[in-house]
Structure formats: C-alpha cells, structure tokens
Amino acid sequence: MVSFLKPVLKQIIMAGKSMQLLKNLDCKEAEESERSSRDAERKSLYTLFLESVQSRLCSQEESPTDTVTEQQATKRSLIKMQSIIAQHLEIDDIHDPLLAINFARLYLEQSDFHERFSVGDFIVDRSSQSVTCQTFELTLRSCLYPHIERRYIECCGNLMKTLKKDYKLLEYLQAMRNYFLLEAGDTMYDFYTAIFDKVQEKESWQQLSFLNVQLQEAVGQRHPEDSSRLSIFLEAIDPARKKHPVNNLEVLTLSYKVPWPVDIVISSECQKIYNQVFLLLLQIKWAKYSLDTLRFSDFTDVAKKLEGALAEDVKVKESINQQIHRMCLLRVKLMHFVNSLHNYITTRILHSTGLEFQHQVQEAKDLDQLIKIHYRYLATIHDRCLLREKVSFVKEAIMKVLNLVLIFSDRWQAGFGAWKIESIDKMESDFKNCHMFLVTILNKAVCRGSFPHLESLALSLMAGFEQC
C-alpha cells in the first residue's frame, strides 16, 4: 500500500469488502445501485480527483486587474497538466493516481496554493517538510480523500441497508436475545419450567427427545418462524460437578441456526458466549422457581397432626414450631437473595445494556463496526454477569447459594420428618457465610470504583444481610 493512501486505508478496504459482499448476495439493492450508476454514468475516482483539482484552481474569486497575468499563467499550467495526463492515458490506458505529482510540480511555485487547498484543521509546518510533500498532501486531503469517504459511506450504507432489510439482521439479533437471554419470557418459561417440574418429581429429564419437543412446543406457539432454527443438545460434564444439583444444567447447549450472511455477525463463537449467559440465567431461574413453588401449607398440615399426637408434650411442640419458623425465615432470606440477583441480571445488566446495543446497531456505518459492536455487547454482559475468569470466586459463592436453595427446596418438599435441627443449622450457617463474603467483596469493589454496575446488587444484598 502506497503511503499516501494510509489515511483512508480503512475506508478503501471496507468499501471493497462491502461491494464484494453485495455482489455475492446478488441482492436487489446492489442491482438497483448498479443500474442507477450506469444510468448516471458514474465517474471514476480518478476523474473526480482531477475535476476537484481543476475546480479548486478555478474557484478563486475574481482578482484585481493586476492579477490577470497570474490567472492566465494558471490556465496555461492547467492545460499543460491535462495534456500530460491525456497522453499518458492514451499510451498506457491506465488510471494512475500518482500523476498528481505532476500537478504538484506544475503548481509548486503558485503563491496562493496553500490557501486554496488547505483545510481548516491542517497546519503547514514549512520547517519539517519540503514544499513538494506539503503540496501533495494538501492536494490529496482536499481533492481525493472526500471522494473516497463518500464512496465508502455509499457502499457500506448499501450493505447495511441490505442486511437489515432483505436479510433481517435486526430480527435475528432480537431472536438471540429472546431465547438465549430469555427476553421472550413467556415462551422460555414454558420450556424451562417443564424441566424444573421433572426435577422436582424425581423423573429423568436429560433426554434429547423430551427437551427438543418441549422447546419446539414452547417456541412454536408464539414464534413459529423460529421453531425450525432452534434446537438443544446435551453435552458431557465432569462427573465430580454432578454432586451439586445446580451444575446439572450445564449439560444443556442451546443452538440457533443463523443463515448466511447474518452468521458473519452472529458467529459460532458468539453463540458460545450467549450459551454461558443462558446457562447462568437458567440456574437463577431454577433457584427462583424452586422457592416460588414452596407452600407454607406443606408445614401447617404436618404441624397440626404432630400437635394432636403430642398434645401433652409441650417441649416437643415448641421445638416443632421453632423448626418450622426457622425454615420459613430461611426461605424468605433465600428468596431475597435470589430475587436481588435475578433483578440485577435481568434489569440492570441485560435490559439496559440491550437498549444501548440496539442504539449502537442502528448507528453502525459498516460491517466491521457492527461486528465489533456485537462482540463488545457480548463481552459487556459476559463481564457484568460475573462470568469472567478474574471474578470466578464471586460466581462460585453465588453458585453455592443457588445450590443451597435447591437443597433447601428438596428438604422442604420432603416433609417435616425428613430433616433434623442440625441440617437447619448447617443451611443457615452456609448461607450466612456466603452472604457475608459476597457483601464484603461487592462493597469493596464498588468503593474502589472498579465495578460501578455492581452497586445496585451490593446495596440489595446488604439490605438482606442486615436482617440475617
């Protein structure tokens, strides 16, 4: 690449990529653009450059009578430059931008050259460059770069318009958020609650046929156009991780078939990040669903029966009531924690970041910029959902609480006689330790200013911690 094109190198490359992709797409937009270009007999960049040079030289306002001789000399020099260029084109039949050097030399002695060609933000430093280099740079800045910029905006704009209009780019980006980030709440609720119900009933749910049928039924009711694109797979996980119930969901991998050329933006690597967030959301939803489905009536019926059988034993009766009371209090504390985490992820992170992402997509000028915006969006939600390796210890503490929620729910549903006072002590102690650890870590991070987005979560957890 010649050095004088470096300032517009990105625009040249992106315009070329966009034009090539438009031709491969064989889209109506490209055909209309080509047709209108042929009708208007679009001029080449080389021709536009020469015309700009000529226009700049001839655009000076009428000078006093004593400058007529200089104007005539300018016209003669311009005719001479055009004659040289014409001879060159007749012999070689090529378009060579370096012919501008001839122009630079022809007008090197022109006294008002810099006034005519310089732009507002360009200051000539006569001590650091030769006059020839200054002249050439000013010529390119004023007569060539604007034409390249306009072609770049036109080509890339046509491609972005085609991807959004003909290939439904925005609809596919929304579909990824609907299913992987659970924005389609009613649809995905039908899917994941079918799994959670199977778990509560102690039935096998890790069957590919069952999972895909549930997914297709949930999606087909409200979004039939996506039912053929969505599927779910089962991946093997480390057997040691299965000891903790919350990790059992890690076998799930959601897949969405993205057609070309939209898969240039929504790549397989992007889907991996989407899946990590999807898994975290499922784990939080599972904990929340497990607590929401518990009923106080499960205890009151048992307590009445035991009170009738042990009516004369006051100490035993008080012990039973105390255990039930502690279980109810622990349930409320766990619900506060899970709801705080759920609200932080869904509103503070996914919703607000999603709105910002949609605005940036609308403002994207070219495909590379759109790809970077999408990757930055995924990196942001991945980071703020505490999935980054650097803050893995925070996620581990959260997973311990979610796992404790599932154990607690299982014991609640098992009935009063299925657990002892010691198990309540351990659950309360484990939760208090994890809660205290998270509140301390998050408050320190917020005070340092390193994670300002965690402030709402830290304050919410702190409010619950004060009542533990």
Side-chain angles (χ1 to χ4, degrees):
M1 174 60 65
V2 288
S3 60
F4 68 83
L5 288 179
K6 285 183 179 179
V8 288
L9 181 59
K10 177 198 171 187
Q11 288 87 336
I12 293 172
I13 293 175
M14 285 310 305
K17 283 182 177 181
S18 299
M19 200 65 227
Q20 184 65 40
L21 189 53
L22 281 170
K23 287 184 177 180
N24 291 338
L25 292 175
D26 193 26
C27 60
K28 296 179 181 179
E29 188 71 32
E31 292 174 2
E32 291 175 2
S33 177
E34 290 175 3
R35 191 181 301 113
S36 62
S37 299
R38 288 195 297 268
D39 294 342
E41 295 183 354
R42 176 182 290 175
K43 298 176 182 178
S44 67
L45 275 175
Y46 184 74
T47 303
L48 292 172
F49 170 68
L50 294 181
E51 290 181 352
S52 294
V53 171
Q54 183 177 355
S55 174
R56 287 273 178 165
L57 290 172
C58 299
S59 63
Q60 187 181 27
E61 297 180 358
E62 292 186 5
S63 302
T65 308
D66 58 349
T67 61
V68 172
T69 305
E70 184 180 347
Q71 290 179 350
Q72 291 175 346
T74 299
K75 291 181 179 178
R76 285 197 298 270
S77 298
L78 181 60
I79 294 172
K80 182 178 179 181
M81 179 191 72
Q82 292 174 333
S83 175
I84 294 172
I85 294 171
Q87 292 175 8
H88 179 81
L89 294 177
E90 285 178 4
I91 297 172
D92 297 332
D93 192 25
I94 60 173
H95 297 282
D96 183 5
L98 291 176
L99 281 177
I101 295 175
N102 291 324
F103 160 76
R105 291 175 177 172
L106 281 172
Y107 296 96
L108 186 59
E109 303 300 327
Q110 190 164 312
S111 60
D112 63 343
F113 181 89
H114 293 292
E115 286 74 15
R116 296 184 182 188
F117 285 85
S118 60
V119 291
D121 61 344
F122 184 77
I123 301 175
V124 178
D125 182 4
R126 298 180 182 274
S127 63
S128 62
Q129 297 181 3
S130 68
V131 178
T132 303
C133 292
Q134 294 173 14
T135 302
F136 189 47
E137 184 174 355
L138 288 171
T139 304
L140 294 175
R141 279 176 173 265
S142 61
C143 298
L144 178 61
Y145 294 172
H147 295 299
I148 293 177
E149 182 71 22
R150 280 193 288 270
R151 290 290 175 87
Y152 154 76
I153 293 173
E154 182 181 358
C155 289
C156 296
N158 284 338
L159 177 60
M160 295 302 295
K161 183 179 178 181
T162 300
L163 290 176
K164 292 176 182 178
K165 181 180 177 182
D166 298 338
Y167 291 88
K168 301 180 179 179
L169 171 65
L170 299 180
E171 285 81 352
Y172 285 118
L173 288 172
Q174 182 61 53
M176 298 300 291
R177 297 198 302 276
N178 282 345
Y179 307 122
F180 288 84
L181 307 185
L182 308 185
E183 286 191 13
D186 50 356
T187 299
M188 298 308 290
Y189 179 86
D190 292 344
F191 167 66
Y192 60 69
T193 52
I195 298 175
F196 301 158
D197 288 338
K198 283 273 189 180
V199 175
Q200 288 185 353
E201 295 168 4
K202 310 298 182 183
E203 297 180 8
S204 175
W205 61 270
Q206 295 184 14
Q207 299 171 2
L208 207 54
S209 57
F210 163 75
L211 294 170
N212 277 293
V213 166
Q214 293 299 323
L215 182 62
Q216 294 300 320
E217 287 182 355
V219 175
Q221 291 178 7
R222 301 175 182 87
H223 306 278
E225 69 280 3
D226 289 325
S227 59
S228 60
R229 298 190 177 278
L230 270 174
S231 57
I232 199 155
F233 300 96
L234 292 173
E235 303 287 344
I237 63 171
D238 186 359
R241 296 187 60 79
K242 292 183 179 181
K243 295 179 181 179
H244 304 289
V246 74
N247 294 334
N248 289 333
L249 290 177
E250 293 179 1
V251 300
L252 297 176
T253 300
L254 192 62
S255 175
Y256 187 83
K257 294 178 182 177
V258 183
W260 187 84
V262 181
D263 61 354
I264 298 175
V265 179
I266 308 174
S267 63
S268 57
E269 290 300 316
C270 292
Q271 290 211 28
K272 290 180 181 178
I273 301 176
Y274 274 114
N275 259 301
Q276 291 181 40
V277 181
F278 171 69
L279 175 60
L280 175 65
L281 290 173
L282 271 190
Q283 290 171 325
I284 296 173
K285 293 285 187 182
W286 189 10
K288 180 174 170 56
Y289 184 78
S290 298
L291 290 173
D292 290 344
T293 52
L294 297 180
R295 297 290 177 265
F296 289 112
S297 59
D298 297 339
F299 279 155
T300 54
D301 295 339
V302 175
K304 288 179 181 179
K305 292 179 181 179
L306 289 174
E307 285 178 3
L310 302 170
E312 297 180 357
D313 197 334
V314 178
K315 292 184 179 180
V316 174
K317 186 177 178 179
E318 289 179 353
S319 176
I320 294 172
N321 290 334
Q322 185 183 14
Q323 291 181 42
I324 294 175
H325 181 66
R326 288 174 63 184
M327 287 289 284
C328 292
L329 284 179
L330 182 56
R331 175 178 180 262
V332 173
K333 293 175 184 178
L334 292 172
M335 285 184 72
H336 173 80
F337 180 94
V338 173
N339 286 334
S340 298
L341 179 63
H342 180 266
N343 292 337
Y344 163 76
I345 296 291
T346 55
T347 59
R348 180 67 179 86
I349 304 304
L350 298 182
H351 180 68
S352 59
T353 309
L355 292 177
E356 183 181 352
F357 168 66
Q358 292 177 56
H359 175 72
Q360 292 174 347
V361 168
Q362 294 291 350
E363 297 295 321
K365 293 181 179 179
D366 59 57
L367 187 58
D368 270 15
Q369 188 178 357
L370 179 61
I371 292 171
K372 289 178 181 178
I373 288 172
H374 188 225
Y375 269 112
R376 188 163 59 245
Y377 164 67
L378 291 177
T380 300
I381 61 175
H382 183 270
D383 182 26
R384 293 183 178 180
C385 287
L386 306 173
L387 295 172
R388 194 172 51 167
E389 188 65 29
K390 187 177 180 180
V391 291
S392 59
F393 59 93
V394 178
K395 186 197 171 187
E396 288 177 6
I398 292 174
M399 289 297 109
K400 285 182 180 179
V401 176
L402 298 183
N403 192 66
L404 178 63
V405 168
L406 298 179
I407 295 173
F408 172 83
S409 174
D410 188 59
R411 290 178 178 173
W412 180 297
Q413 292 178 336
F416 178 79
W419 35 266
K420 299 179 181 180
I421 191 70
E422 291 79 7
S423 62
I424 300 177
D425 293 338
K426 188 176 188 310
M427 287 188 292
E428 289 176 337
S429 175
D430 290 346
F431 174 66
K432 187 173 183 178
N433 291 337
C434 290
H435 201 170
M436 184 185 299
F437 170 77
L438 286 171
V439 167
T440 304
I441 292 295
L442 294 180
N443 278 335
K444 287 182 178 178
V446 170
C447 291
R448 288 197 306 266
S450 52
F451 300 101
H453 55 276
L454 289 172
E455 183 176 1
S456 60
L457 178 62
L459 290 174
S460 182
L461 293 183
M462 188 63 159
F465 178 70
E466 291 174 351
Q467 300 173 12
C468 283

